Amino acid sequence: VTVVDGETAQLTVNVTDDDGQPVTEGNIIFNVDDITQTIEVTEGQAVFQYSNTKGVYTVDIVYENDNHYTNITTATITIIKLKNVTIEVNDITGYINQEVTIDATLSDEDDMLIDVGTVELWDADDNLLDVVNVSDGEVSFKLLFNRVTDTTLKLVYLENEEYNRVQQTITVSITKPTTTVTFEQFTLTPGQKTNITAVITDEEGQAVTNGKVVFKINGKTVKDENGKVIYVKVTDGRATLEYTLPTEWANKNLTIEATYSGSSSYESSR
């Protein structure tokens, strides 16, 4: 029988006669580590319970009936002590709709990396998100958040034959990435159509994938022939306005602005 230090070992002895039938009388005498305990046989069984510290203990088992002693057998009780585990993991910051990685290092109480066991990842609502086996003291999880959030996640190392259970909670902060608007080079000629292209990127330099852009020229918002503001859709990080500069604006200094609206995934910018 093998148990963990702090638990009680239970040793069950079955006593039968020559015909294999349960014996209904007599006692079992258990001797272990200077302890002797006599337990009455009930329905062919006697149950011995034993607690001690870490070690291997031999139990001598003797059946007694009408003062006749018969040496039955011996048994071994092994009491093991599980080592404690430390999970080293950092809090996480990331951006909406961009993959984040959670890397954790696991070591035992002797500061040795462990190479067995399993780590579960749980969210703040106690939903199991993922399960990863420990390898060379490391586990890694990858997650994608589709909304802005400040939350917590829980890493749980499961108890096994060598190590105790332990858990570690981290905070996760997911925000929208900031954005930057620049222009592709262009030349305006009065009376001719020109493509004015605004380039919108996030703080990692990646092309923004959604949202709209409004253009202003000399402080006035560009509108269509019906007087409605023109909203240009962003596609692959670009928003292109087809614009005809009025001839009466020839030889004037022009200031052109582009304002990105932002979206559920990105912050606005101009």
Side-chain angles (χ1 to χ4, degrees):
V1 177
T2 301
V3 295
V4 176
D5 186 14
E7 297 180 353
T8 299
Q10 182 168 292
L11 189 62
T12 300
V13 175
N14 296 301
V15 185
T16 58
D17 59 22
D18 291 338
D19 297 323
Q21 298 300 311
V23 172
T24 58
E25 59 184 359
N27 299 305
I28 296 291
I29 302 173
F30 295 90
N31 293 287
V32 56
D33 196 31
D34 297 328
I35 296 174
T36 299
Q37 185 173 353
T38 301
I39 299 175
E40 183 180 359
V41 175
T42 302
E43 296 181 355
Q45 286 189 339
V47 179
F48 174 64
Q49 294 185 329
Y50 181 73
S51 298
N52 208 326
T53 56
K54 178 182 178 182
V56 179
Y57 303 91
T58 300
V59 184
D60 294 321
I61 303 169
V62 177
Y63 173 64
E64 174 192 28
N65 184 18
D66 294 332
N67 295 321
H68 176 70
Y69 297 88
T70 303
N71 186 18
I72 297 178
T73 187
T74 61
T76 300
I77 295 176
T78 302
I79 299 176
I80 61 175
K81 182 175 177 61
L82 300 182
K83 289 186 176 182
N84 293 323
V85 174
T86 299
I87 301 176
E88 295 184 6
V89 58
N90 294 324
D91 295 330
I92 297 298
T93 59
Y95 299 115
I96 188 171
N97 292 325
Q98 295 185 22
E99 190 175 73
V100 295
T101 301
I102 302 169
D103 292 321
T105 302
L106 295 92
S107 56
D108 64 20
E109 57 197 45
D110 299 318
D111 291 328
M112 300 296 293
L113 295 178
I114 66 176
D115 197 36
V116 297
T118 301
V119 177
E120 297 176 338
L121 182 66
W122 297 78
D123 68 14
D125 297 319
D126 287 331
N127 296 309
L128 180 61
L129 303 179
D130 201 357
V131 180
V132 174
N133 292 326
V134 180
S135 177
D136 295 328
E138 305 286 339
V139 291
S140 183
F141 300 93
K142 295 187 182 298
L143 295 176
L144 192 70
F145 294 86
N146 59 10
R147 61 185 177 86
V148 172
T149 185
D150 287 302
T151 187
T152 59
L153 295 174
K154 182 171 60 179
L155 287 78
V156 180
Y157 178 76
L158 302 181
E159 181 180 312
N160 52 54
E161 295 180 351
E162 297 183 51
Y163 300 103
N164 283 312
R165 178 187 185 276
V166 67
Q167 69 181 49
Q168 181 70 40
T169 300
I170 61 172
T171 61
V172 178
S173 180
I174 302 299
T175 60
K176 296 180 185 180
T178 59
T179 57
T180 301
V181 179
T182 58
F183 285 97
E184 289 186 350
Q185 186 172 348
F186 63 93
T187 300
L188 286 174
T189 301
Q192 295 184 8
K193 290 181 179 180
T194 302
N195 286 335
I196 303 175
T197 298
V199 179
I200 306 92
T201 55
D202 65 19
E203 54 196 80
E204 300 294 331
Q206 301 297 312
V208 167
T209 58
N210 53 47
K212 298 177 181 179
V213 172
V214 172
F215 292 84
K216 286 185 178 181
I217 298 180
N218 283 358
K220 293 184 178 181
T221 302
V222 177
K223 300 178 180 180
D224 63 18
E225 58 188 14
N226 297 315
K228 294 183 178 181
V229 175
I230 297 175
Y231 296 94
V232 182
K233 183 179 179 181
V234 177
T235 302
D236 294 331
R238 284 169 168 72
T240 299
L241 171 71
E242 188 179 78
Y243 180 73
T244 301
L245 181 69
T247 54
E248 59 269 24
W249 284 17
N251 299 320
K252 287 187 176 182
N253 293 324
L254 301 177
T255 300
I256 300 177
E257 301 173 75
T259 301
Y260 172 62
S261 65
S263 69
S264 61
S265 303
Y266 300 97
E267 295 287 359
S268 61
S269 60
R270 58 187 300 173

